[in-house]
Amino acid sequence: MLIKNIGLMFSGDVANPVLDADSILVEGGRIAAIGRGLQGAGAVWDAKGCAVMPGLIDNHVHPAFGDWTPRQNQLGWIEAFVQGGVTTMLSAGEVHIPGRPKDPVGVKALAIAAQRCFSAFRPLGAKVIAGAPVAERGMTAADYAECGAAGVQLLGEIGLGSIREPEEVAQHAAWARAAGLNMMIHCGGPSIAGSNRMGFDQVVAADADIVAHINGGPTSLSAEELTRVMAATTRAIEIVHNGNPRTALHALNTLREMGRLDRLVLGTDSPAGSGVQPLGVLRTVSFLASVGGLDAGLAIAAGSGNIGKWRGLEQGVLAAGRPADIVFIDAPIGGAGRDASESLALGDLPGIGLVVIDGEVRVGARSRNTPPAARVPELA
Ligand SMILES: [Zn+2]
């Protein structure tokens, strides 16, 4: 596949968010080259001057099994996210499964089953990285090691289970890290029944890869406490769609003042009580770019490449050798912006044309969920 006449290329790389290039060559599901005036055989897509960005990554979802969520009893929600430009999503714990087991054997069995099921099941091509056990009292170092050895990559949000004291948070996080699990800790007031408030003491004790929903999921810490959390930790800070918008802006501004926008990652924390938001990552990008005054390319990087880096994934950036997960976006018809960048800065949602995953067109030539894009790619 050759994509030509790209008007604007967002890289997903926070250090270099816009590339000086107009074409992408795809071979074998991966990006073979990025440049100007590239030539190639195979399908040639004329982008008609619209923008491309890496497939968005939702850093925070709560899947169950299949393309169904018991939280809102909704079918097809993962496919709907692909229609919103999300090509990869990471489980923060399969906590909505009715009757979720809480004993160590049950926790492990569920995590391994979820990891296996979503490895083999890709709705509309989505890469769902699931199997995120929830830390419960009674689990030991050997339990986490067994998960890691079985192929589980993630630990669900610490604090959704029975772990609540800083000492036990630190102990379980250390066991999970030793098992090779990439982990997140819930931050803020309790969410689902049985979960706990995770504040400064717990979050700092965990030293998790991701401080989940710094702006609350859905109830936020105070601005003062979350400022202290960001100063005392060194890893990724997550803003979610299903959180508090006021503290989201506070977190953004704090990271900007620290010069650490590379720490910013985005998720939806859906499905949730507030619903399923197929455009949640895109809406958060638009919110941060408009109300937050964040450069559109940096906002997109927070929803793609930054997550890839903190999660150890190869997707999330447009670069040679990476998976060809590419989303075509443009100003929506009728909007005040002339291109995707201006539309985001003005708070509009860009229209999605094509969604390509591993070099295969999965949505085209218009998303069913976004407003229509002004310029839509065509097969040349
Ligand atoms: Zn949470």
Side-chain angles (χ1 to χ4, degrees), residues 60 62 92 157 160 185-187 189 191 212-213 216-218 269:
H60 194 138
H62 291 290
E157 289 176 74
L160 291 186
I185 182 162
H186 177 89
C187 177
S191 52
H213 48 61
D269 196 4

Side-chain angles (χ1 to χ4, degrees), residues 100-125:
R100 167 173 69 93
K102 297 178 179 175
D103 62 298
V105 171
V107 169
K108 287 185 287 188
L110 173 59
I112 294 166
Q115 187 275 332
R116 296 291 191 276
C117 287
F118 280 106
S119 296
F121 176 60
R122 291 179 52 178
L124 211 55

